[in-house]
């Protein structure tokens, strides 16, 4: 059901883990299935210097988490905010239609982590 690229990111996910004292953290749950994703950010000079994730979820959720960490590393926060679930799914060469909802987690968790970083900087 998954293509080779999705399987590769599922079997060998990149950037799994946590960042100690992260600059931003985003956690989202998928109401459809109950799966959870958490993203940790290290920001330097307005760019994503490091990113790690922890995902309790299906193959598509893990593959999209892994892919999004590769897509946004080194990007500015504004650039990272433009990464949508569609961009992630396309970077993976597509997901089965019934798994598209899973790709929302990665983009939503990333955006939540960036918002968290911005909130912390203001307060
Ligand atoms: Fe839950 Fe895919 S089935 S994120």
């Amino acid at each position: 059901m998954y293509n080779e690229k999705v399987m590769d990111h599922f079997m060998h996910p990149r950037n799994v883990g946590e960042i100690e004292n992260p600059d931003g953290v985003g956690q989202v749950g998928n109401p459809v299935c109950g799966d959870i994703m958490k993203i940790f950010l290290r920001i330097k000079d307005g760019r994503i210097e490091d990113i790690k994730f922890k995902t309790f979820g299906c193959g598509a959720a893990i593959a999209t988490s892994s892919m999004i960490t590769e897509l946004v590393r080194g990007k500015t926060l504004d650039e990272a905010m433009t990464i949508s679930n569609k961009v992630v799914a396309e970077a993976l060469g597509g997901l089965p239609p019934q798994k598209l909802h899973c790709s929302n987690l990665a983009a939503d968790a990333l955006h939540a982590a960036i918002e968290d970083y911005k909130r912390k900087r203001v307060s």
Side-chain angles (χ1 to χ4, degrees):
M1 151 166 114
Y2 293 131
N3 69 35
E4 235 173 72
K5 201 161 188 182
V6 175
M7 282 308 290
D8 178 41
H9 277 268
F10 171 45
M11 301 299 284
H12 311 285
R14 283 54 148 187
N15 304 306
V16 177
E18 283 184 40
I19 292 175
E20 223 175 290
N21 300 319
D23 296 315
V25 181
Q27 178 170 320
V28 292
N30 189 328
V32 179
C33 59
D35 291 345
I36 293 172
M37 180 183 300
K38 202 166 180 180
I39 281 189
F40 305 83
L41 295 176
R42 170 82 59 236
I43 311 290
K44 194 163 176 218
D45 300 330
R47 286 182 186 272
I48 296 177
E49 186 186 55
D50 197 11
I51 174 166
K52 294 216 184 299
F53 78 91
K54 276 188 160 175
T55 294
F56 176 81
C58 68
I62 290 168
T64 50
S65 311
S66 169
M67 177 50 88
I68 209 166
T69 63
E70 294 214 311
L71 285 175
V72 301
R73 186 182 291 273
K75 290 228 177 346
T76 66
L77 299 181
D78 286 347
E79 286 166 345
M81 282 304 270
T82 67
I83 304 273
S84 63
N85 58 339
K86 195 160 164 259
V87 172
V88 182
E90 275 168 11
L92 283 167
L95 286 167
Q98 74 273 26
K99 285 281 161 190
L100 273 177
H101 75 93
C102 311
S103 65
N104 289 332
L105 274 186
D108 288 352
L110 171 68
H111 298 164
I114 292 172
E115 296 297 343
D116 180 53
Y117 165 73
K118 288 183 176 167
R119 223 177 8 248
K120 281 180 183 153
R121 272 193 20 162
V122 172
S123 55

